[in-house]
Amino acid sequence: MGENKLAGQFFDAAIGLLERVRDEEAAHIAAAGSAIADTVAAGGRLFAFGAGHSSLAAQDVVYRAGGLALMNLLAVPGVVGVDVMPATLGSALERVDGLAGAVLDSSPARPGDVLIIVSLSGRNALPVEMAMNARALGLKVIGVTSVAYATETRSRHTSGTYLKDHCDIVLDSKIAVGDAELTADGIEAPFAPASTVVTSALMQATMAAAAGELGARGIEPPLLRSGNVDGGHEWNGRVMEEYADRIFYRR
């Protein structure tokens, strides 16, 4: 079978998924970009949340060179990554009722802000409750999920609903249930997940759409520059100072 062949097959699968979301989700990405631009222009704040490996795509747009300085991570203790011990605890916490409400109630999020919720399956209590509670608080919710899970799995929330059912805008990653793109003779389990690649691309495409929308309105997008290029730290310092009341990942 050969390593190169399988590696190439993964790239082909990822590229195919990226082409699908580019073409099929274009209108939803534009809508999400406009919603973010509306909030930035109105003086609102931006938040992103994801649990487990879905948190990687959320973290990818926070405090990021080339990214919007106003995007804040809405962190839930124990579910942001695999640093919690044991790692299985993070998965268990995603199924705990009430956790999302407690986090939102103690967060700086307020009506009119945008919350992007990333959850591949969208079936666990945490992302469903996060979306329900956020909308009840008057936030605009953008969900990034695989809609296929809603037809091929059972919800773990008491309502029987999924993340996609409680969003103002849904971005469908098109990832197949199981999140593994490859199979091979002699290997019993499917392997090579593409959800991080595709979901991160959806997030960055949405940020690009938002920046473009702001520029089209004559509003300079509050973007960060790389600290590894000359003048980057000075640029970022000015942005951080100007928008200090809307940035929560620094003291």
Side-chain angles (χ1 to χ4, degrees):
M1 73 191 137
E3 293 85 355
N4 291 341
K5 180 181 177 182
L6 289 173
Q9 287 176 357
F10 175 76
F11 280 116
D12 290 342
I15 290 167
L17 284 162
L18 288 169
E19 289 177 338
R20 279 193 68 194
V21 297
R22 178 196 64 195
D23 298 340
E24 298 174 20
E25 296 302 298
H28 297 145
I29 292 168
S34 292
I36 290 170
D38 288 344
T39 299
V40 172
R45 292 82 59 81
L46 309 173
F47 298 90
F49 163 76
H53 286 91
S54 290
S55 73
L56 295 174
Q59 293 179 59
D60 193 44
V61 295
V62 176
Y63 188 51
R64 183 66 193 262
L68 291 171
L70 307 189
M71 184 60 72
N72 300 277
L73 186 69
L74 187 66
V76 177
V79 305
V80 174
V82 294
D83 56 335
V84 62
M85 296 293 287
T88 50
L89 175 60
S91 299
L93 288 173
E94 289 186 60
R95 299 193 285 272
V96 173
D97 295 331
L99 185 55
V103 169
L104 271 173
D105 288 345
S106 60
S107 80
R110 66 187 184 194
D113 292 346
V114 163
L115 172 60
I116 303 176
I117 300 177
V118 186
S119 175
L120 178 61
S121 73
R123 68 188 295 224
N124 287 311
L126 186 55
V128 174
E129 279 190 5
M130 188 72 77
M132 294 174 71
N133 289 17
R135 289 181 92 184
L137 289 171
L139 277 70
K140 176 155 281 192
V141 176
I142 300 169
V144 187
T145 187
S146 171
V147 173
Y149 275 83
T151 59
E152 299 180 40
T153 68
R154 295 180 62 181
S155 171
R156 289 182 175 141
H157 188 255
T158 54
S159 67
T161 61
Y162 298 77
L163 169 61
K164 74 173 186 63
D165 300 317
H166 306 283
C167 298
D168 296 285
I169 301 165
V170 175
L171 305 181
D172 184 3
S173 65
K174 318 290 183 181
I175 299 294
V177 173
D179 191 20
E181 294 299 319
L182 302 182
T183 58
D185 292 339
I187 301 176
E188 293 192 17
F191 54 99
S195 61
T196 303
V197 172
V198 177
T199 303
S200 290
L202 273 169
M203 296 287 281
Q204 294 296 351
T206 299
M207 297 303 110
E213 181 69 24
L214 286 166
R217 300 181 193 183
I219 301 171
E220 181 66 30
L223 296 167
L224 295 173
R225 291 181 180 268
S226 172
N228 297 313
V229 298
D230 291 343
H233 284 300
E234 292 76 14
W235 172 282
N236 292 342
R238 289 193 298 271
V239 172
M240 294 280 193
E241 183 176 355
E242 181 176 353
Y243 294 95
D245 61 330
R246 299 153 75 181
I247 297 172
F248 303 103
Y249 49 80
R250 59 170 294 175
R251 294 187 185 276

